[in-house]
Amino acid sequence: GHPNLPQASIRSSAKLFETAAATDPNWGCGLVGAIPGISRSGEVQAETQRLIDGIRHSSTFGKVSYWNWNLAPMTTQNFTQVLSADFLFMPEQWGATAPDASYVRPAGKAGFLDSDGVVSPSTMADVFLGTNEPDIAGSCMGNMFGECQMSCDQESIDRGDCPIARLDGPQLHANAKGQCNCWQFAQATGAGFWPLKHCAGPQPLPNMWSDPECVEVVMSDWQETARIARSKGYKYLTTPLIAAHMDYAKNFLEKACQNCTDISCGCPVYVAFHFYAYDCQPETLGGYTNFQKRLDAVAEIMEQHPFVKGAIINEVGMLNCDGGNDNPICVPNSGEYPAANETDHRCPATEELPKGLATYLEKLFDMIIAAKTKDGRPVVKGFSWFNENMAGGTYDLRLFDEDGSINPVGEAYIDGCARWANAQKAAASEVDTQTTATSEAPEAWGTAIKST
């Protein structure tokens, strides 16, 4: 017999896990938005902890990832982002310029200061996220969402034709050019909305690949961002967070990775993108098909560039409009199932979504778990549900009801994340079995030789 094999197998499993955590982690399920039931001291109410425990095992680190378009948790207009020790915070430089290094917290540290100057019990992840949605012009958030797709030009300002957008309040209209004042009381969906110094035009980023000078400006700033991140202990970078056009991520990665395949030269090893289906009709309107195309696009990038570790899909939800997959910006309540007509502002139960958004989540996790490269590597390494209430043109996508209890969408998220975690364990076990079999061979051969 082989009395030492069980211990060897255990050590092998532990080694595999350590290696994965060190070089190829799975960031697992994450959250965006308000999480109820966590105190400033890090104490967590039972129902909130149930959701955390239900989804955190999908991560190599046993923690829930969280991000907020910023460098640290903060207080927004509506809530304070309070995290417990069970969270990994993923920082992002939202715009295309380099961040102020003094605001970039050291990677891998728990108990860092959040944007309010309060100690967060969470841990700063060692992955740094790229620019937010530079591939589309996007829209101004708030009461002109979908209509205002550009900041007012000087002519409109001089003419007094520059309506002011606000993050809340009744729906108002942009001017005839689709412009508004988005800088005063609102904010844009992504960096593609704004001009960039030394790049031509009012919205240069979406089409920057046709402007070599702008590309150089953006990549120079990105190199500085990477230098700062590396100096603070970050190990990994992502591509810009893509809204629609996966070729943008591929172009960026290939430009950034000309001289190396890691953070030392600003090379992203994760393809990051956002995904939304429309109008509670992910089958009819092609949402599932589009999601699969994006997974396939990342798999192809991973096959062409084996140093790429996979996709981080850190904003996923359902838009409250009948939009288009090439531009996820549309006027809310313009579809067949407007949120305004639903008492809970969520997707109703239909033949296509028998359990509403819960069905949608189930299908997305089926696709995530199945997504592999030709050589068997998992494509998806991070997935964050857009846990927000009708923000940015969505339905109410929150995982908790007003009383702090987990709702059916939250239960579906727990179930999907658990299934994903189990799929990872099964895959690791299969690799471990192969590793053990390979490591046994020399011993068996040696025994055979001695016996002869």
Side-chain angles (χ1 to χ4, degrees):
H2 300 280
N4 293 326
L5 261 185
Q7 285 75 22
S9 183
I10 290 167
R11 284 196 298 272
S12 177
S13 294
K15 187 68 175 175
L16 281 171
F17 183 84
E18 289 170 11
T19 302
T23 63
D24 191 12
N26 194 308
W27 302 96
C29 286
L31 295 171
V32 184
I35 305 170
I38 305 178
S39 72
R40 271 296 196 183
S41 60
E43 296 170 347
V44 185
Q45 292 179 7
E47 188 75 342
T48 302
Q49 190 64 47
R50 185 166 74 84
L51 180 108
I52 291 169
D53 289 340
I55 69 177
R56 67 185 180 88
H57 297 292
S58 58
S59 164
T60 301
F61 306 97
K63 294 180 184 288
V64 177
S65 65
Y66 187 94
W67 78 291
N68 67 350
W69 306 273
N70 207 341
L71 297 170
M74 60 186 283
T75 295
T76 70
Q77 183 180 19
N78 299 315
F79 61 90
T80 298
Q81 297 159 353
V82 183
L83 307 178
S84 72
D86 286 326
F87 284 84
L88 272 179
F89 182 86
M90 292 184 172
E92 183 205 21
Q93 172 63 357
W94 188 91
T97 56
D100 182 331
S102 66
Y103 292 118
V104 179
R105 280 71 167 173
K109 304 292 185 185
F112 58 87
L113 290 182
D114 68 15
S115 298
D116 299 327
V118 178
V119 173
S120 173
S122 64
T123 298
M124 187 63 67
D126 56 7
V127 60
F128 198 91
L129 306 175
T131 305
N132 200 67
E133 300 189 355
D135 60 310
I136 62 169
S139 176
C140 189
M141 299 276 281
N143 62 356
M144 295 186 194
F145 184 83
E147 281 202 24
C148 177
Q149 299 190 24
M150 183 179 290
S151 187
C152 291
D153 57 23
Q154 195 59 48
E155 180 188 16
S156 296
I157 294 171
D158 293 343
R159 204 169 60 237
D161 184 23
C162 186
I164 298 173
R166 297 178 185 272
L167 289 176
D168 51 19
Q171 185 77 20
L172 297 178
H173 301 287
N175 67 20
K177 297 179 183 178
Q179 300 172 343
C180 72
N181 170 348
C182 190
W183 62 85
Q184 200 169 356
F185 301 112
Q187 61 204 37
T189 55
F193 184 89
W194 298 110
L196 184 66
K197 193 174 181 180
H198 305 306
C199 286
Q203 294 177 324
L205 291 178
N207 298 308
M208 80 167 189
W209 300 110
S210 61
D211 181 353
E213 290 184 19
C214 188
V215 169
E216 292 308 312
V217 168
V218 170
M219 299 314 294
S220 175
D221 275 325
W222 178 247
Q223 294 289 336
E224 177 61 11
T225 298
R227 186 195 67 76
I228 292 168
R230 189 184 182 203
S231 75
K232 301 280 185 157
Y234 291 86
K235 293 181 183 176
Y236 313 110
L237 302 170
T238 77
T239 65
L241 313 185
I242 299 302
H245 306 292
M246 298 304 287
D247 281 349
Y248 198 103
K250 186 171 187 287
N251 289 339
F252 189 95
L253 187 141
E254 290 177 347
K255 182 71 173 176
C257 301
Q258 290 177 324
N259 298 318
C260 80
T261 57
D262 59 28
I263 194 172
S264 64
C265 70
C267 176
V269 293
Y270 295 102
V271 178
F273 68 88
H274 297 161
F275 173 75
Y276 293 88
Y278 298 87
D279 196 30
C280 303
Q281 300 183 77
E283 193 80 55
T284 303
L285 298 180
Y288 293 141
T289 299
N290 190 43
F291 189 59
Q292 188 61 54
K293 285 180 180 177
R294 295 193 191 183
L295 295 176
D296 292 344
V298 176
E300 187 175 327
I301 291 170
M302 293 171 71
E303 288 156 7
Q304 292 176 354
H305 305 287
F307 63 85
V308 176
K309 299 178 185 298
I312 292 178
I313 315 168
N314 64 349
E315 199 177 305
V316 181
M318 181 74 71
L319 285 167
N320 171 30
C321 53
D322 185 358
N325 291 326
D326 60 338
N327 184 20
I329 301 297
C330 48
V331 177
N333 296 305
S334 60
E336 189 175 337
Y337 298 101
N341 289 1
E342 303 297 325
T343 54
D344 59 4
H345 302 135
R346 298 178 187 141
C347 287
T350 62
E351 186 175 345
E352 189 166 326
L353 296 179
K355 294 183 284 186
L357 287 168
T359 304
Y360 174 58
L361 263 173
E362 288 172 8
K363 176 65 174 176
L364 293 182
F365 274 107
D366 287 343
M367 298 167 76
I368 287 168
I369 291 166
K372 300 280 195 300
T373 59
K374 289 176 182 175
D375 59 355
R377 287 176 292 155
V379 170
V380 181
K381 293 299 181 67
F383 180 91
S384 294
W385 180 251
F386 193 66
N387 174 49
E388 296 269 15
N389 182 16
M390 296 189 288
T394 66
Y395 292 85
D396 182 351
L397 303 177
R398 290 177 296 176
L399 304 177
F400 295 89
D401 285 333
E402 293 289 350
D403 63 1
S405 60
I406 299 171
N407 62 34
V409 185
E411 299 290 359
Y413 198 44
I414 291 173
D415 179 69
C417 295
R419 286 197 294 126
W420 189 21
N422 289 335
Q424 292 174 46
K425 288 175 187 172
S429 176
E430 184 178 340
V431 171
D432 186 42
T433 300
Q434 294 170 353
T435 303
T436 302
T438 303
S439 64
E440 279 185 49
E443 181 180 344
W445 295 336
T447 303
I449 292 169
K450 288 175 188 174
S451 65
T452 59

Short mmCIF file of all heavy atoms in Angstrom, two decimals, residues 274-278 315-319 357 360 364 383-386 394-395 397:
data_model
loop_
_atom_site.label_atom_id
_atom_site.label_comp_id
_atom_site.label_asym_id
_atom_site.label_seq_id
_atom_site.Cartn_x
_atom_site.Cartn_y
_atom_site.Cartn_z
N HIS A 274 -18.89 44.90 -18.29
CA HIS A 274 -20.20 44.99 -17.66
C HIS A 274 -21.22 44.34 -18.58
O HIS A 274 -21.04 44.29 -19.80
CB HIS A 274 -20.58 46.45 -17.41
CG HIS A 274 -19.65 47.15 -16.47
ND1 HIS A 274 -19.55 48.53 -16.39
CD2 HIS A 274 -18.78 46.65 -15.54
CE1 HIS A 274 -18.66 48.85 -15.45
NE2 HIS A 274 -18.17 47.74 -14.94
N PHE A 275 -22.31 43.87 -18.00
CA PHE A 275 -23.34 43.25 -18.83
C PHE A 275 -24.73 43.51 -18.29
O PHE A 275 -25.00 43.33 -17.10
CB PHE A 275 -23.13 41.73 -18.94
CG PHE A 275 -24.26 41.05 -19.65
CD1 PHE A 275 -24.38 41.16 -21.02
CD2 PHE A 275 -25.25 40.37 -18.94
CE1 PHE A 275 -25.46 40.59 -21.69
CE2 PHE A 275 -26.32 39.80 -19.60
CZ PHE A 275 -26.43 39.91 -20.98
N TYR A 276 -25.61 43.91 -19.21
CA TYR A 276 -27.03 44.08 -18.90
C TYR A 276 -27.87 43.48 -20.01
O TYR A 276 -27.54 43.62 -21.19
CB TYR A 276 -27.39 45.58 -18.76
CG TYR A 276 -26.76 46.24 -17.57
CD1 TYR A 276 -25.49 46.82 -17.67
CD2 TYR A 276 -27.42 46.28 -16.35
CE1 TYR A 276 -24.90 47.42 -16.57
CE2 TYR A 276 -26.83 46.89 -15.24
CZ TYR A 276 -25.57 47.46 -15.36
OH TYR A 276 -24.99 48.05 -14.27
N ALA A 277 -28.95 42.83 -19.62
CA ALA A 277 -30.00 42.48 -20.58
C ALA A 277 -31.07 43.56 -20.47
O ALA A 277 -30.96 44.49 -19.66
CB ALA A 277 -30.57 41.10 -20.27
N TYR A 278 -32.12 43.46 -21.29
CA TYR A 278 -33.10 44.54 -21.41
C TYR A 278 -34.53 44.07 -21.18
O TYR A 278 -34.91 42.98 -21.60
CB TYR A 278 -33.02 45.17 -22.81
CG TYR A 278 -31.69 45.81 -23.11
CD1 TYR A 278 -30.65 45.05 -23.63
CD2 TYR A 278 -31.46 47.15 -22.85
CE1 TYR A 278 -29.42 45.63 -23.90
CE2 TYR A 278 -30.25 47.73 -23.11
CZ TYR A 278 -29.22 46.97 -23.64
OH TYR A 278 -28.00 47.53 -23.89
N GLU A 315 -20.25 44.26 -13.08
CA GLU A 315 -21.51 45.01 -13.05
C GLU A 315 -22.49 44.26 -13.93
O GLU A 315 -22.37 44.26 -15.16
CB GLU A 315 -21.28 46.44 -13.57
CG GLU A 315 -22.34 47.44 -13.17
CD GLU A 315 -22.01 48.85 -13.66
OE1 GLU A 315 -20.91 49.35 -13.34
OE2 GLU A 315 -22.82 49.45 -14.37
N VAL A 316 -23.46 43.59 -13.31
CA VAL A 316 -24.41 42.75 -14.06
C VAL A 316 -25.81 43.04 -13.56
O VAL A 316 -26.06 43.08 -12.35
CB VAL A 316 -24.09 41.25 -13.86
CG1 VAL A 316 -25.08 40.40 -14.66
CG2 VAL A 316 -22.66 40.94 -14.27
N GLY A 317 -26.74 43.25 -14.49
CA GLY A 317 -28.11 43.52 -14.08
C GLY A 317 -29.07 43.50 -15.25
O GLY A 317 -28.81 42.90 -16.29
N MET A 318 -30.20 44.18 -15.07
CA MET A 318 -31.25 44.26 -16.09
C MET A 318 -31.67 45.71 -16.25
O MET A 318 -32.01 46.38 -15.27
CB MET A 318 -32.45 43.41 -15.66
CG MET A 318 -33.61 43.38 -16.65
SD MET A 318 -33.29 42.37 -18.13
CE MET A 318 -33.35 40.71 -17.43
N LEU A 319 -31.64 46.20 -17.49
CA LEU A 319 -32.02 47.59 -17.76
C LEU A 319 -33.52 47.70 -18.04
O LEU A 319 -34.10 46.88 -18.77
CB LEU A 319 -31.21 48.15 -18.94
CG LEU A 319 -29.76 48.49 -18.60
CD1 LEU A 319 -28.95 48.73 -19.87
CD2 LEU A 319 -29.69 49.72 -17.70
N LEU A 357 -36.35 37.93 -11.92
CA LEU A 357 -34.90 38.08 -12.01
C LEU A 357 -34.14 36.86 -11.49
O LEU A 357 -32.99 36.64 -11.87
CB LEU A 357 -34.46 39.33 -11.25
CG LEU A 357 -34.81 40.68 -11.91
CD1 LEU A 357 -34.60 41.82 -10.93
CD2 LEU A 357 -33.97 40.89 -13.17
N TYR A 360 -33.30 34.74 -14.37
CA TYR A 360 -32.21 35.39 -15.12
C TYR A 360 -30.86 35.06 -14.50
O TYR A 360 -29.92 34.65 -15.19
CB TYR A 360 -32.48 36.90 -15.13
CG TYR A 360 -31.42 37.78 -15.71
CD1 TYR A 360 -30.97 37.63 -17.02
CD2 TYR A 360 -30.88 38.84 -14.96
CE1 TYR A 360 -30.01 38.50 -17.56
CE2 TYR A 360 -29.94 39.71 -15.49
CZ TYR A 360 -29.50 39.52 -16.78
OH TYR A 360 -28.57 40.39 -17.31
N LEU A 364 -27.59 32.91 -16.07
CA LEU A 364 -26.26 33.50 -16.18
C LEU A 364 -25.21 32.62 -15.50
O LEU A 364 -24.12 32.41 -16.04
CB LEU A 364 -26.23 34.91 -15.58
CG LEU A 364 -27.05 35.99 -16.31
CD1 LEU A 364 -26.89 37.33 -15.60
CD2 LEU A 364 -26.63 36.11 -17.77
N PHE A 383 -17.55 38.00 -10.65
CA PHE A 383 -18.92 38.30 -11.10
C PHE A 383 -19.61 39.10 -10.01
O PHE A 383 -19.74 38.62 -8.87
CB PHE A 383 -19.67 37.00 -11.37
CG PHE A 383 -21.10 37.18 -11.85
CD1 PHE A 383 -21.38 37.27 -13.20
CD2 PHE A 383 -22.14 37.24 -10.94
CE1 PHE A 383 -22.70 37.41 -13.65
CE2 PHE A 383 -23.46 37.38 -11.37
CZ PHE A 383 -23.73 37.47 -12.73
N SER A 384 -20.03 40.33 -10.30
CA SER A 384 -20.67 41.18 -9.29
C SER A 384 -22.05 41.63 -9.76
O SER A 384 -22.19 42.27 -10.81
CB SER A 384 -19.81 42.41 -8.99
OG SER A 384 -18.61 42.04 -8.37
N TRP A 385 -23.04 41.31 -8.97
CA TRP A 385 -24.41 41.72 -9.25
C TRP A 385 -24.58 43.20 -8.90
O TRP A 385 -24.07 43.68 -7.89
CB TRP A 385 -25.38 40.86 -8.45
CG TRP A 385 -26.83 41.19 -8.66
CD1 TRP A 385 -27.67 41.79 -7.78
CD2 TRP A 385 -27.60 40.92 -9.84
NE1 TRP A 385 -28.93 41.92 -8.33
CE2 TRP A 385 -28.92 41.39 -9.59
CE3 TRP A 385 -27.32 40.32 -11.07
CZ2 TRP A 385 -29.94 41.28 -10.53
CZ3 TRP A 385 -28.34 40.22 -12.00
CH2 TRP A 385 -29.63 40.69 -11.74
N PHE A 386 -25.34 43.93 -9.73
CA PHE A 386 -25.57 45.36 -9.54
C PHE A 386 -26.70 45.55 -8.52
O PHE A 386 -27.86 45.75 -8.85
CB PHE A 386 -25.93 46.00 -10.89
CG PHE A 386 -25.89 47.50 -10.89
CD1 PHE A 386 -24.70 48.19 -10.71
CD2 PHE A 386 -27.05 48.24 -11.09
CE1 PHE A 386 -24.66 49.58 -10.74
CE2 PHE A 386 -27.03 49.63 -11.12
CZ PHE A 386 -25.83 50.30 -10.94
N THR A 394 -31.82 50.99 -14.40
CA THR A 394 -32.12 49.59 -14.12
C THR A 394 -33.48 49.44 -13.43
O THR A 394 -34.12 50.41 -13.04
CB THR A 394 -31.06 48.98 -13.19
OG1 THR A 394 -31.12 49.61 -11.91
CG2 THR A 394 -29.66 49.13 -13.77
N TYR A 395 -33.87 48.19 -13.24
CA TYR A 395 -34.98 47.85 -12.34
C TYR A 395 -34.44 47.92 -10.91
O TYR A 395 -33.26 48.23 -10.69
CB TYR A 395 -35.48 46.43 -12.64
CG TYR A 395 -36.18 46.30 -13.97
CD1 TYR A 395 -35.45 46.07 -15.15
CD2 TYR A 395 -37.56 46.41 -14.06
CE1 TYR A 395 -36.09 45.97 -16.37
CE2 TYR A 395 -38.21 46.29 -15.29
CZ TYR A 395 -37.47 46.08 -16.44
OH TYR A 395 -38.10 45.98 -17.65
N LEU A 397 -32.80 46.14 -8.43
CA LEU A 397 -31.99 44.91 -8.49
C LEU A 397 -31.44 44.52 -7.12
O LEU A 397 -30.59 43.64 -7.01
CB LEU A 397 -30.82 45.10 -9.46
CG LEU A 397 -31.19 45.50 -10.90
CD1 LEU A 397 -29.93 45.71 -11.73
CD2 LEU A 397 -32.08 44.45 -11.55
#
